[in-house]
Amino acid sequence: MSVFNAIIKSLKANITTIIVYLAIFTVFGNMQAKATVSTQETTFEEAIIRVAVTDNDKSQLSKAIVDYLAETQEVVDPKTDNPQVMNDNVRFLIYDYALIIPEGFEEQIKSGNAEDALTYIVPGTTMSQYLLTQKLNDYMQDIVIYLNSGYSEEEAIDLTHEQMVELSKTQATVIDEQEENHRSFFTGMFTFNGYTMMMLLCICGACTLTFMKDRDVSNRISVSGMHFFTRNLATIAAVFFIGFVITTVVIIVIQLMGMEYANDKLLYYAIDTYTLMFVGLGMAYFICSLTANENLINMVANMFVLSMSFLCGVFVDTQYLSDSIVKAAHFMPLYWYTTAIKFINDTPINNIWSRQFGTYLMIEILFAAAFFMAGMIISRKKEQYAI
């Protein structure tokens, strides 16, 4: 018990490091998660937008389009026909949408060519803008169809106008129920957690193990009469206890920060995170076998973890990485952690516990075992050759 207590007390030297990384996690992890969150509860409802219209044609048909917009949207006068100025006004949100009806518009529609008849400025950046563009295209296509069917221009305008105004009274609501099309807040937080937790476990674990290798500490323990097996068991228990506490604290922080979001998959996220804990502790043991210098431990841990975070989808989603980088990432444990997180996010809760999910966890465990074995081999060789 004395060895266990000594190791826990040695953790006080890393309190500042733990606080710094937790602060980074709570601030930047929360920002990233909220910026990318998209849930099934999020729906789209069509809204009335502010439209600036410049009518350079002054024809019967162009006036009909302006009247249609006035009945269905909020029409404003841009007081300019300069496309650059109108574009700037849209981008600075003076109005949401700009439309220029060019000279000769009516003649082009009468000839049966409705394509590129109008000039849109910044359309389609929102769903409401995109829908308005579609409605205007439908308006012109309907005019062409009526004209080709033998209706007069006045009749074509009246019929189209009546139908399009009636259609605008129907509000469009879109709900995407496919889980793979949404990214939950918890997916964002647990993904960013891959960097935070690996850094905490590597630095705290390695520094704690280094503390036990200190010659003065080792001599004091050896003269205490404690059995070799007991000493090592206490060391292992203390390191795993530290890892468990850090992992649990991180999970609790995520749960508290995500209370506004519904989540029924926390158990599976936690299982993947506790599995990553073994990887972090294994890497800590491996780094500790390389050096006992705390500055070098920090440097090596940053080099390993930061590299993996960029290559394995923690900071940049793997869909934006090249195929060669993704293939290389398969040989890194964080890739399988983030892949498991994506699998949890994209899979209905009843289907998560599966062979595929188990495979991801098993690969992480194998990486942890590999790090422990590599550390043991290096430690044995250093002891054998008195390095």
Side-chain angles (χ1 to χ4, degrees), residues 262-381:
N263 179 56
D264 53 357
K265 299 179 179 179
L266 182 64
L267 173 63
Y268 300 100
Y269 287 117
I271 290 173
D272 191 29
T273 305
Y274 279 116
T275 305
L276 184 68
M277 177 192 75
F278 292 100
V279 179
L281 294 177
M283 188 176 289
Y285 182 71
F286 172 71
I287 294 173
C288 177
S289 67
L290 296 175
T291 178
N293 187 296
E294 290 193 9
N295 292 325
L296 284 176
I297 288 174
N298 276 276
M299 185 183 72
V300 174
N302 268 289
M303 181 181 68
F304 274 116
V305 178
L306 269 176
S307 299
M308 285 195 297
S309 297
F310 279 107
L311 299 176
C312 298
V314 174
F315 295 148
V316 181
D317 197 282
T318 51
Q319 65 177 319
Y320 302 117
L321 302 176
S322 66
D323 292 339
S324 57
I325 292 178
V326 174
K327 287 179 181 178
H330 280 68
F331 298 95
M332 304 175 190
L334 266 182
Y335 171 81
W336 299 100
Y337 169 77
T338 57
T339 301
I341 293 294
K342 284 184 181 179
F343 178 77
I344 296 170
N345 180 83
D346 298 344
T347 308
I349 187 169
N350 295 331
N351 300 331
I352 294 177
W353 195 254
S354 61
R355 183 175 182 178
Q356 185 175 355
F357 183 58
T359 300
Y360 297 146
L361 300 181
M362 182 57 64
I363 293 174
E364 291 179 56
I365 293 295
L366 290 175
F367 271 108
F371 281 123
F372 277 114
M373 290 181 64
M376 291 175 64
I377 292 171
I378 293 173
S379 297
R380 180 168 183 147
K381 291 296 181 181

Side-chain angles (χ1 to χ4, degrees), residues 222-254:
S222 61
V223 299
S224 65
M226 186 178 294
H227 193 273
F228 174 82
F229 176 78
T230 305
R231 293 201 309 266
N232 282 274
L233 183 63
T235 301
I236 294 171
V239 172
F240 273 91
F241 176 77
I242 292 171
F244 178 82
V245 169
I246 290 175
T247 305
T248 303
V249 167
V250 169
I251 293 173
I252 292 173
V253 168
I254 295 175

Side-chain angles (χ1 to χ4, degrees), residues 70-89:
E71 288 190 48
T72 59
Q73 309 295 328
E74 181 186 349
V75 175
V76 298
D77 182 5
K79 299 179 181 179
T80 178
D81 58 358
N82 186 328
Q84 183 61 50
V85 175
M86 296 178 73
N87 181 72
D88 291 340
N89 289 341

